[in-house]
Amino acid sequence: MSAASASSPSPFLLGLALTAEPGLSPDEFVRLVRRAEAARVDFVTVEDGPGRLDSTLLLALAARETSRIGLVPLGPVLGQPAGYAARFATLDLLSGGRAGVRPRIAADDVEHERIVRAIGTPEGDALVAELFARADEFIGRVGEAWDVSGTAPQGRPPLLSLAHDTVPYRFAARHADAVLITPFDVQGVRRIRAEVDALAAEAGRTVKVLADLHVLLAPTDAEAAERRSKLGEFESDADLFTGTPEGLADRLEEWHRDGGADGFRIRPVTVPDDVYALVDRSVPLLVRRGLLPETYGTRTLRGHLGLSREVAA
């Protein structure tokens, strides 16, 4: 791919996925978030769960050390909606309007994997439909609590929803501000985008569509292939890009231009190595191509996502 030209596509959104591993100290975690902000990444999401650090507490710590990057912890759909709303409204207040939340329908990793494996079977589809029906009601009540309390600077902190199939797409179309999809090629991006857009139109809404992508980077394709061979078996719900930072920039440009993705959430295979390769090498290439702005134009996550401030109906 060449440098940006008059025919280059418009800029896209860029997020970074991190996992709250116990081997990564809170200080090291904050340094990674600050590094991502220095590169002008739009937001960082954080996974947690059994044996991991709490994503909301880590991002509350990062909020004090950053000023622009969006902060999106995991939020399993459990407990009382009012308490759920208060948790993320507090992070929004601490961060000056940069908080979001990724609702998780499954209670933990084990249940998530069970649900993913069951999709496509009658029993699995029934389970997924039941879980999302409960989540639909729960998140609706969370939104009402945000409207009533008025403590979150953004009104409603943005919801980013991970989705793999029609039922999760419909949930995202009804509630999410951005849906994280998991295509394996540019045709998959186009197909999922069309389905999400149709479901959102039925709900009278529009939703940003961001593609998830694992990345394993090295200075040359040969070195990247060697890293991949040492990795062994790698199973995931999302595609794995193995190659150079320039090759990654090409892939993102193609999926944005030809697939219609509004942006991407990058899942680094190795932390911090793949994070550094992304922010130090791929991001500057994307800036030069006109696919990422050089600086932040807004101060809130809603602003980064191109959303208006949500207010009570």
Side-chain angles (χ1 to χ4, degrees), residues 5-305:
S5 66
S7 60
S8 295
S10 59
F12 56 69
L13 301 163
L14 185 65
L16 173 66
L18 296 175
T19 301
E21 298 292 353
L24 190 67
S25 74
D27 287 343
E28 291 170 328
F29 174 84
V30 170
R31 280 197 292 271
L32 286 176
V33 178
R34 291 178 63 186
R35 190 80 166 261
E37 182 175 72
R40 207 233 148 270
V41 171
D42 289 294
F43 64 88
V44 59
T45 67
V46 184
E47 307 289 308
D48 58 21
R52 298 173 181 166
L53 302 177
D54 183 273
S55 61
T56 307
L57 292 177
L58 282 175
L59 287 174
L61 180 63
R64 305 303 296 267
E65 300 293 330
T66 57
S67 61
R68 292 296 186 94
I69 192 168
L71 308 172
V72 185
L74 192 66
V77 180
L78 300 168
Q80 294 298 317
Y84 191 98
R87 180 184 185 191
F88 299 105
T90 300
L91 181 60
D92 201 41
L93 190 62
L94 287 173
S95 64
R98 293 183 288 126
V101 58
R102 183 170 87 75
R104 186 176 190 176
I105 309 308
D108 53 34
D109 288 346
V110 174
E111 185 177 31
H112 174 74
E113 292 302 322
R114 180 168 68 89
I115 292 170
V116 170
R117 287 195 302 269
I119 288 176
T121 68
E123 298 81 7
D125 290 347
L127 172 62
V128 168
E130 179 185 353
L131 289 172
F132 275 94
R134 291 207 306 260
D136 187 89
E137 180 182 359
F138 184 94
I139 292 299
R141 292 172 63 190
V142 169
E144 292 171 359
W146 277 329
D147 291 342
V148 171
S149 69
T151 57
Q154 296 179 101
R156 293 189 179 191
L159 269 64
L160 281 67
S161 184
L162 179 64
H164 307 295
D165 204 68
T166 298
V167 172
Y169 297 154
R170 183 172 290 112
F171 173 83
R174 282 176 52 82
H175 295 288
D177 297 290
V179 55
L180 305 169
I181 64 171
T182 55
F184 286 83
D185 52 35
V186 70
Q187 291 79 16
V189 180
R190 285 199 295 266
R191 175 183 57 80
I192 298 170
R193 164 109 233 185
E195 183 172 3
V196 171
D197 283 348
L199 291 168
E202 289 178 11
R205 305 179 70 242
T206 58
V207 180
K208 301 288 183 180
V209 178
L210 312 181
D212 268 18
L213 189 67
H214 282 285
V215 302
L216 191 155
L217 302 173
T220 67
D221 287 328
E223 290 173 282
E226 183 178 1
R227 283 194 65 201
R228 175 67 183 86
S229 67
K230 292 178 179 178
L231 187 62
E233 186 176 355
F234 186 86
E235 295 185 3
S236 174
D237 58 340
D239 193 25
L240 169 63
F241 173 84
T242 302
T244 65
E246 183 173 20
L248 175 61
D250 292 342
R251 171 71 61 84
L252 300 185
E253 183 172 3
E254 178 194 16
W255 283 18
H256 175 55
R257 182 192 61 229
D258 299 334
D262 292 314
F264 303 90
R265 182 178 68 151
I266 302 301
R267 303 184 191 177
V269 171
T270 302
V271 176
D273 294 352
D274 289 318
V275 176
Y276 294 154
L278 170 72
V279 300
D280 293 342
R281 298 191 59 193
S282 294
V283 168
L285 290 171
L286 294 168
V287 171
R288 286 201 292 272
R289 295 180 188 186
L291 295 167
L292 289 178
E294 290 188 39
T295 60
Y296 291 103
T298 58
R299 291 187 174 275
T300 68
L301 180 55
R302 295 195 72 84
H304 299 344
L305 295 174

